[in-house]
Amino acid sequence: MKLIFSSYLVQWGNYGVMCCWFLLMLLYWSGKGAFATSEYLIGLGSYDITGPAADVNMMGYANAEQIASGLHFRLRARTFIVAEPEGNRVVFVNLDACMASQLVTIKVIERLKARYGNLYTENNVAISGIHTHAGPGGYLQYVVYIVTSLGFVRQSFDALVDGIEQSIILAHGNLRPGSIFVNKGEILDAGVNRSPSAYLNNPSEERNKYKYDVDKEMTLLKFVDDEWGPVGSFNWFATHGTSMSRTNSLISGDNKGAAARFMEDWFDGKQGGNVFSDGSHVGSERIPRRISNIIPEDRKLLDLAASFQASSRREVTKFLSISRRVRSVLRQGDKPKFVSAFCQSNCGDVSPNVLGAFCIDTGLPCDFNHSTCGGKNELCYGRGPGYPDEFESTRIIGERQFRKAVDLFKTASEMIKGKINFRHAFVDFSKLEVTIPKEGGGSEVVKTCPAAMGFAFAAGTTDGPGAFDFKQGDDQGNPFWKLVRNVLKTPSKEQVDCQKPKPILLDTGEMNVPYDWAPGILPLQIVRIGQFVILSVPSEFTTMAGRRLRDAVKAVFTSTSNQEFNGLHVVIAGLTNTYSQYVTTYEEYQVQRYEGASTLYGPHTLSAFIQEFKKLATALIHGQSVEPGPQPPDLLNKQLGFLPPVVLDMAPIGSNFGDAKSDVPKNATYKRGDMVSVVFVSACPRNDLMTEGTFALVEMLHGTDNWEPVYDDDDFCLRFKWSRPAKLSARSEATIEWRIPKGAQPGVYRIRHFGASKGLFGSPRHFEGTSSAFVVI
């Protein structure tokens, strides 16, 4: 009996083990199944695209005197990838750059094909710019866009291509099961119409459908990893990247780049403390414990600070700059960093200078129709909310977008569900037949024109006025400037008639010496993620032009009986994949303000876009393929660049690179809100872009000998300014300014500078400089 019972126990024990094993496997596979049933894989990534912070003309204002000479904060490429586990996938890249570039897009796609095969192609990859006017230029391939940058700038181009590729690689590597939520809300104080006289030329019955003369709605996507929780957000909202003026020389992401920095820091602060909207970090991950807890008396703080004097050294590598950076990739754990992108939409006539446009000589409002002051456009400037401080205006407009995005992020509850799909086509806009409604009924066929820019283009806008005697609203032109124009290219009668009432200043579409001056072939793209649709346009659509395009595409989707298109969200991603300037309505074009003069392909440009996007939408809905269209040219091997290289850097006799030329005062004590400024002997920042590193750093003393990084050149409160005593001088200096934030902790601090100098032979040599320590109370 005992033997039988013992045998029974052994058998039962084996059976129990098998049951436990079965239950564990069941739990494991059910867990796997839970992940497998997630509708999407999501992955986000971000990478530095700052580019050369010296000598290079900035892209946006076409001001030849606006040359980069330092950093306000760094520029980034931010990417999301959404994929069906066994199906389609899409990539959206948001650039802290003025716009996308056809040449950049071509080269990024080539790299992706080499790495991933046909997984990522021009069909399912969208690359969009936020339209900051404070980034390095020279990266577009068409002549008219690189004149002021002295032609092509390879360093600007490479920084973008490399950074975009790396951000996509990171996003691809982060692909995991997750969900997406969408939310919408209004921002009433982040944009005004800068061409209201043109907007008023739209039909009154159309204008009456809308409460405002600009779009006030922000649309946000929230990305939530099944395991890690929220990992990022992307939103679309229309306002120009022109809070920073045409005289600014510090590289900056302007208001949208600032908003992205604020939101990413806000989220990081939620994990370990509080974050202030000025970019200051008070979280336990970023700021060590208060030194006043260690040494409570200010006298002891001063004595401790006095033991750390200014110094410099050469035996350093670029790795030191990367490793000391506050947001260094080396500090990341298993979970990827939160990525937040503030994308551009139909911003063509939307200015962030919300106080209005005024004459700088009289203080009176500018002329309504022409934006002039006494007949001169040069005196009419828009004022931002922080006027006259452009940095404050940038912060305020960025913060207004940031606050709304946080609100939408917190309350997002509508889940994105449905298929992923996309359609892409190249279209030749220089000779496109367009069918439009005819007055009195029926339809007629019209044509677009080869690209041309009108006289009012040279007048600029209230965000950045032009020069000479040009003015907005000019539909006649000027005999003298027509004579000058004809030296370059006299437009044909056919072209003049096609572009009417635009008086042609530059016939760019018919100019091809030394190579093409303007694009003719444009990429059009629709990306669908469930009930969310992105219209990737290569232009700056005005408010009403964008509304018409969105409505037309939405009507195509809703005309079907397919229930999955109910509750459709349609956003415009402006300045995407290439750049072709502006798109106005037909009625706005007649007024010939700046936007109309910059609508390249004539009065029927918008109708052409609507026609072609409706074709893409129809094909997407019915699962039909589309003709790829004619390929745009790859002009890389034809590019000419005349920016002189860095030949030599020299330190003054008796000085070394990194020496504090102007140090903090002895026994210096500062309060929050004060400005700390240190000047270092430096070298040209073009020698090393410090990609994913920093030129400037603020460190806080932890204990008695451990310095912790707390702010770097990606923080809104820290500015890196670089200068030469003369244009061709081999000597230079770096001024690092730190406006002590409200959230800075009392303690001992110091400022560091990283750089690289170039000799006549060999590679640049890295150096660092450190200020004397000082006290913040």
Side-chain angles (χ1 to χ4, degrees), residues 46 90 138 267 273 313 422 538 673 706 735 765 772:
S46 173
V90 292
F267 188 86
R313 63 188 180 118
F422 45 83
N706 181 29
T735 302
R765 296 179 61 198
S772 298

Side-chain angles (χ1 to χ4, degrees), residues 386-397:
Y387 174 84
D389 186 341
E390 61 189 306
F391 294 95
E392 182 66 3
S393 291
T394 300
R395 184 193 66 79
I396 293 171
I397 296 298

Side-chain angles (χ1 to χ4, degrees), residues 386-437:
Y387 174 84
D389 186 341
E390 61 189 306
F391 294 95
E392 182 66 3
S393 291
T394 300
R395 184 193 66 79
I396 293 171
I397 296 298
E399 187 170 276
R400 289 172 181 175
Q401 293 176 76
F402 153 65
R403 289 188 182 280
K404 176 53 65 175
V406 168
D407 177 58
L408 297 177
F409 181 84
K410 288 180 176 179
T411 59
S413 59
E414 180 186 339
M415 183 179 287
I416 297 293
K417 297 179 180 180
K419 296 178 181 178
I420 293 174
N421 218 324
F422 45 83
R423 291 295 183 273
H424 176 285
F426 289 112
V427 180
D428 188 346
F429 268 69
S430 67
K431 49 185 178 183
L432 185 64
E433 291 189 346
V434 185
T435 302
I436 62 172

Side-chain angles (χ1 to χ4, degrees), residues 233-408:
S233 68
F234 277 58
N235 68 71
W236 289 261
F237 176 76
T239 194
H240 248 76
T242 48
S243 292
M244 301 296 287
S245 74
R246 68 192 298 274
T247 59
N248 163 63
S249 65
L250 300 184
I251 289 177
S252 174
D254 209 278
N255 57 70
K256 286 188 175 292
R261 167 55 51 238
F262 297 161
M263 188 154 183
E264 289 173 348
D265 287 348
W266 164 80
F267 188 86
D268 285 349
K270 294 289 283 186
Q271 311 309 311
N274 299 313
V275 173
F276 289 83
S277 61
D278 58 5
S280 55
H281 312 284
V282 201
S284 60
E285 295 178 348
R286 297 277 173 85
I287 302 277
R289 60 196 175 102
R290 289 175 54 166
I291 196 166
S292 55
N293 292 337
I294 306 168
I295 305 173
E297 295 87 2
D298 290 344
R299 182 68 256 170
K300 288 187 177 180
L301 286 177
L302 287 169
D303 290 343
L304 187 57
S307 64
F308 296 95
Q309 299 299 309
S311 63
S312 64
R313 63 188 180 118
R314 289 284 271 192
E315 295 79 19
V316 297
T317 64
K318 180 179 178 179
F319 179 79
L320 182 62
S321 167
I322 296 173
S323 65
R324 298 303 292 172
R325 183 170 172 265
V326 173
R327 302 167 188 83
S328 174
V329 293
L330 302 175
R331 297 170 185 267
Q332 288 184 198
D334 294 333
K335 181 180 177 180
K337 297 291 284 184
F338 184 84
V339 177
S340 180
F342 286 69
C343 311
Q344 195 54 269
S345 192
N346 53 319
C347 67
D349 52 359
V350 188
S351 170
N353 297 310
V354 294
L355 298 186
F358 296 88
C359 300
I360 59 174
D361 56 343
T362 66
L364 298 174
C366 304
D367 173 79
F368 181 77
N369 290 314
H370 302 289
S371 297
T372 55
C373 301
K376 295 183 178 295
N377 71 82
E378 299 96 322
L379 302 176
C380 177
Y381 278 87
R383 294 180 181 176
Y387 174 84
D389 186 341
E390 61 189 306
F391 294 95
E392 182 66 3
S393 291
T394 300
R395 184 193 66 79
I396 293 171
I397 296 298
E399 187 170 276
R400 289 172 181 175
Q401 293 176 76
F402 153 65
R403 289 188 182 280
K404 176 53 65 175
V406 168
D407 177 58
L408 297 177

Side-chain angles (χ1 to χ4, degrees), residues 17-37:
V17 169
M18 290 177 64
C19 286
C20 289
W21 176 252
F22 176 79
L23 287 171
L24 285 171
M25 290 300 293
L26 186 65
L27 287 170
Y28 173 77
W29 285 110
S30 65
K32 295 273 286 186
F35 281 107
T37 56

Side-chain angles (χ1 to χ4, degrees), residues 513-539:
V513 177
Y515 42 88
D516 293 351
W517 279 56
I521 298 168
L522 303 181
L524 308 186
Q525 182 185 52
I526 289 184
V527 170
R528 178 202 166 195
I529 307 169
Q531 71 269 34
F532 189 79
V533 174
I534 302 172
L535 308 182
S536 299
V537 301
S539 316

